[in-house]
Amino acid sequence: MASDTAVSIPTNMPTTNRPMNLGQSMDDNTSRLDGVAKITGAAKYSSDMILPNSLFARFVRCPFGAASLESVDDADAKKIDGVIEIDIQPKECQYDGQPVGHVAANSPMLVDRAIKALNLKWKKLPVKTQITDTVKEEIAKGDVKDADVTFAAVYSTPVQTHSSLETHGGVVDHHGDKATVYASTQGTSSVRDGIGEPLGLKASDFEVICEYVGGGFGSKLGGPGKELTLAAKLSQKFKRPAYVMCNRADEHLDTGNRPSSMTSVQIGLKKDGSVVGGEILTYGGTGVGKGGGGVSIPSGRYNFQNVNKKHTDVSFNGGGPRPFRAPGHPQAAFAEELMLDEAAALIGMDPFTFKRKLVKDDVYREMMDMGAKLIGWSDRKETGTQKSAMRTGYGIGTGGWGSANPGGNAEVVIHQDGSVESRTGTQDIGTGQRTTMGICTADSIGIPLSFVTVQIGRSTLPPGPGSGGSVTSPTTAPTMMAAAAQAKGKLLDVLAKGSGGDANEFSVKDGVVLRKGEKFLAWKDACAKLTPDGVTGSASTGDGGKGNSQGVQFIKVVVDCETGIVHPKHVIAIQSCGRVICRKTAESQIIGGVIQGISYAMFENKILDRNNGAMVNPNLEWYKILGPNDMPHIEPVLWWHGQTGVKSLGEPPNIPTAAALACAVYNAIGAPIRHLPMTPDKVLKALEGAAS
Amino acid sequence: MPDPNQPPGFSRRSFMKTVGVSATVTTLSGLAEAHALAREQAEGEALQGPGPVKMKFTVNGKASEVSVEPSTTLAEVLRYSLGLTGTKIICDRGACGGCSVIIDGKLLNACMTLAFDVAGAKITTVEGLAQGGKLDPVQESFLRHDALQCGYCTPGFIVATRSFLNDVPKPTLDQIKKALGGNICRCGTYTNIFNATLEASGQAPIMDQKGVS
Amino acid sequence: MNSFAIAQPKSYEDASTLAKDKSYRLAVIKAGGIDLLDHLKEGLIDPDVLIDVRRVRAAGAKAPIDVSGDTVRIEAGTTLAEIAHSAELAKAAPALVYAVESAASPQVRNAATAAGNLLQRPRCWYYRNEQFNCLKKGGATCFAVEGENRYHAIFGDGPCHIVHPSNLAPALWVCDATVHIVGAEQPSIPIRYLYHTPDKGVRSENNLPPGAVITHITCKPAKASGFYAIKEKQSFDWPVVAAAVALELDGTVIKSAVVCAGAVAPIPWELRNVASALRGVDVADDAALTKACAGASAGAKPMTDNGYKVKLLPVAVKRAVLIAAGRKAEVES
């Protein structure tokens, strides 16, 4: 990092374009603490650790859905100067992307050349590529004898790949008796737990570093993964830093995914809008994975009486799933919310009235009332009444998520020089964890954030949770606040003893130590009274407080009925997450969840060739992710009603979105799109169906 | 007067044997030497490569020289030869804009540009936008509006936005959306990127609602 | 990428000589390099020499784009960005500007050249995957026929079902363009003869003689011309259908029209039936215009998953007509 990019910028940078959200957080104006590093290009991700004398490696992979590697001819590859190791073992593979070995060379370009120069003979085998290759569309049959009206339908969603922009893998720098591991991970501690064996080292002899990660969304949990494990072995063997990162195709093929789903529903309703019986059959397309295909419908947010549920995972020749932002929920909410909109139309009820009545928790009702006003629900036309080429629709989705209990290990050190360190072995995957830890520390003590340095992303720090399940803030915020309070307490004890007073006469406000409410000492002068060791507070428990993560989203859409293109226009995303720590990063989590949800609803699809199982779109050209010119106006709305506990935020805003968009499209065109993604072909087909 | 058919900055030597990628990096001080080398011409139809070819660039105002195979992309040179890892290789096919750089005033994907093609050019990467400890207004607005999350797409977006505002100083929101259509963010920061871009161009960000009574 | 050497000819004639030099295993022209680099990274071709023509200018080249009187001239190396930003072309042949201004991305448009765009190979995901030895690569099968064909052709009898990916080609087609070349017996090829359907030869899409190099493109001004593409994604994405139209108007009545579709056939696909049907139609008469465009997909042979293109093409044509007639505001885009 060049010294002339070292910039000093105030982190307190107010913005005024979201007046509704001001006053709802512990900190309205702080900009994320690692922002400067990221915007100047100084931030070093694991993929940026290009160390001198590095060895680079990638896996060699099966190119078809099912194939047997019959012979390996690596003679040409071995001739390439700079190729260090080729290790490929013939075997039978079950998905496109399954590794059969690796190539290691002196540069990534040489690895590519060597892989291209391999002569592998594959014998293709028969494949299954989707749920319906095994399961015909089952019709749910529940007990609906008490119903006035019965509704039945089948919904489906595709396999969605996480598509983290920084791929999977990392760098291992093994020095024989010690090692440094740079991991692109969501779980620094879990990498530490799993990498010792391939390193051949004790935990005390290596450090895992994860200062910055370029996305994960659930796919980078649960240990080092095969890429880092290979890097550890290569680094130890060749006594050089080993760099093993997936390329873009690998990333789509073999780093997990949100499994596909099929949901068959049959529900019975009474004319008053109550659901009195039925059955829901769900299927999760888990590829070669064992489990992980669950579909969380019924979500439990709505009052369903006497509705049975059965789930089955279905295998096919594709990479197995990994948790992906609220696993099981966006696909379930899509089916549930659209099903309810369609059922509402059957009994002639406005879906707002219908859902508002049917939902269990009053908080959702209040959010719906608020959202309806913000989106302009009163402009909504009845479903199926528009005949123009451009039709406007409105839809509602809901989402809820539980929160973990406090438990991440946290440590706060107040130094003699007045600097304060906030330490926990978690990672910031873009969530703003670094910033929230700093704010919690500063707020608990009573000092400006600028006095605090946050240390995260190293396994030598007190072990913290992985960034999964939206547990990071609920587990670490309370413990960090407790650790900070403890450290402050120790400081005040020292001051009290030194001045012959009682510790409870002292407090800290805005970086000034007060005694009986009057200014006693400036912070720096107070800390100068500590011994050179400073004082340390540590905690692994804290006060979870009260609160919940609930959300309601309203989406306005315009559908071009001549082209079948869905144009999302406006999203109101109301989200509660208990006590909001940092307004800006919280808003960003909400916006990010919404964008991923719209992208999922409209574009994303891991497409496997139906005959040989190869993924035909393992790239960002044909695996379509929402871009800037597809964007609606998104308004994140923080919902804080005095809750004290810090609750989940990462996943909940991703749950309602595809659902709300599908409901909006249904309202606009008068026909439901029951199968994601909502591409023009499906919209046109639905319109045709509605016309006939 | 340099021959317009010959790009400046090349040495006459070419090697016949593939020796793998090697890079010698020399940072030249002063522009005089750079100009002297620029005047050196490859005469006749001598091939450059396939072995390493000496190439000079001005990157973020500094002259540097590498010796790499002609098949090396600019993104690879920036990251592997020059230690400038701000520019990211994300899709490696020009589909996502993560490797956006400014070359002689034009926005290009470094992963789809041969280093050879831009030898002699002035290249600006994300690392070159802040000057003398001061952030570029685009960077400052990105920070203020939290137009970033994991940060991996951020260098590409900042460079693309900087380049766009150089060409269109006061764009509409619609123009911004189109101009950034070659960049992808997976975390979902576009809303704040739009606000940051409007602010950096001296305009007001999009106002969200004041609330319901 | 595999290694290669680079030659830097001073003229297109020299480039052509190099392209025909039998002492090279495979010598390919490199202009902007966008399509070329994709091929190299995917391992689809393995040249030992790239012939770099980025700095070559044809004899008689005055500027990247020159509009003088009755001739529009675009140099081979003119970038898509230069076309998109050309105020002259926006007046003289707006279809060209519309065609490229939303193609690809700003980054790609700054590198991609006009000639390269015309000669680019298809985006078909079987063609682009070196594991599939399809017809176009010398194999025995078109994998799209029984495979994933949602983005493939709805016209033509195969045996290869790619769509030609260029936006610029159909736009130049309706401007009656001519592609000028060196290194061949003839000095030029009208764009309507530049491409051939797969039944006439599946290994390539264009009729350039071996070693011929495009120097520049000329066309007639077409002040009332337009282009409309329908894309799934409004950010960087390829059209699923596109249409270029050039009109001769008498007030709001169409005297004559040329219509050419993109992304629906292995070559730019002229729609002569629609051009006929448009004669005499008043663009202000929505019903009549819709009726005239309805035949755009006549003769289409959709594949299992791309029938939606049959419905979309008439819409793209109609919107292109409205744009050509200066009624862009009526088009909801």
Side-chain angles (χ1 to χ4, degrees), chain A residues 63 113 116 560 562-563 565 603 608-612 616 621 624-625 627-630 681 688, chain C residues 1-2 41 43 123 125-126 131-132 146 148 151 231-235 237-238 305 311-312 319:
Chain A
R113 277 187 199 164
K116 281 191 174 86
D560 182 335
E562 290 180 352
T563 61
I565 293 178
F603 304 123
L608 301 181
D609 178 85
R610 66 196 67 180
N611 298 306
N612 60 43
V616 292
E621 177 189 359
K624 302 191 186 188
I625 291 176
N629 208 22
D630 303 285
D681 57 317
E688 218 167 82
Chain C
M1 285 184 265
N2 285 353
K41 292 182 184 199
R123 308 306 305 183
W125 43 41
Y126 297 110
Q131 292 289 345
F132 289 92
E146 298 195 343
E148 309 309 312
Y151 298 126
K231 297 160 36 173
E232 287 183 339
K233 249 176 74 167
Q234 310 317 309
S235 308
D237 196 7
W238 297 91
D305 292 354
K311 296 181 223 170
L312 288 182
R319 295 185 182 190

Side-chain angles (χ1 to χ4, degrees), chain A residues 480-512:
Chain A
M480 189 56 77
M481 290 195 258
Q486 199 189 86
K488 174 172 87 169
K490 289 184 181 176
L491 169 67
L492 299 185
D493 275 346
V494 167
L495 296 177
K497 280 202 183 74
S499 61
D502 211 89
N504 55 26
E505 295 170 25
F506 295 87
S507 60
V508 184
K509 187 172 191 266
D510 296 333
V512 178

Side-chain angles (χ1 to χ4, degrees), chain A residues 352-383:
Chain A
F352 174 79
T353 312
F354 178 65
K355 286 178 173 174
R356 193 185 181 285
K357 187 172 177 206
L358 197 61
V359 80
K360 286 182 191 163
D361 197 319
D362 278 339
V363 173
Y364 290 115
R365 262 181 274 282
E366 290 174 45
M367 290 179 170
M368 285 181 186
D369 288 344
M370 182 193 213
K373 288 205 185 84
L374 291 174
I375 199 77
W377 186 267
S378 51
D379 291 335
R380 178 184 178 275
K381 301 197 166 51
E382 204 185 312
T383 299

Side-chain angles (χ1 to χ4, degrees), chain B residues 142-153:
Chain B
F142 266 59
L143 183 61
R144 186 197 315 282
H145 285 277
D146 206 38
L148 62 145
Q149 291 176 35
C150 83
Y152 211 67
C153 75

Side-chain angles (χ1 to χ4, degrees), chain A residues 124-144:
Chain A
K124 284 183 254 187
L125 301 166
V127 294
K128 292 187 175 180
T129 62
Q130 51 193 337
I131 292 173
T132 47
D133 283 348
T134 303
V135 177
K136 297 306 143 207
E137 283 192 1
E138 298 267 345
I139 306 302
K141 281 199 256 302
D143 173 9
V144 292

Side-chain angles (χ1 to χ4, degrees), chain A residues 2 27 42 56 200 212 328 345 362 374 444 458 468 473 527 563 585 591-592 597 669:
Chain A
D27 188 315
F56 298 82
Y212 302 95
D362 278 339
L374 291 174
S444 275
R458 282 171 188 263
S473 288
C527 294
T563 61
T585 55
I591 294 167
I669 69 175

Side-chain angles (χ1 to χ4, degrees), chain A residues 158-159 603-607 615 617 622-624 676-677, chain C residues 150:
Chain A
V159 174
F603 304 123
E604 297 186 39
N605 193 352
K606 176 173 176 171
I607 304 171
M615 182 179 179
N617 58 342
W622 295 109
Y623 186 87
K624 302 191 186 188
L676 297 185
Chain C
R150 69 195 68 195

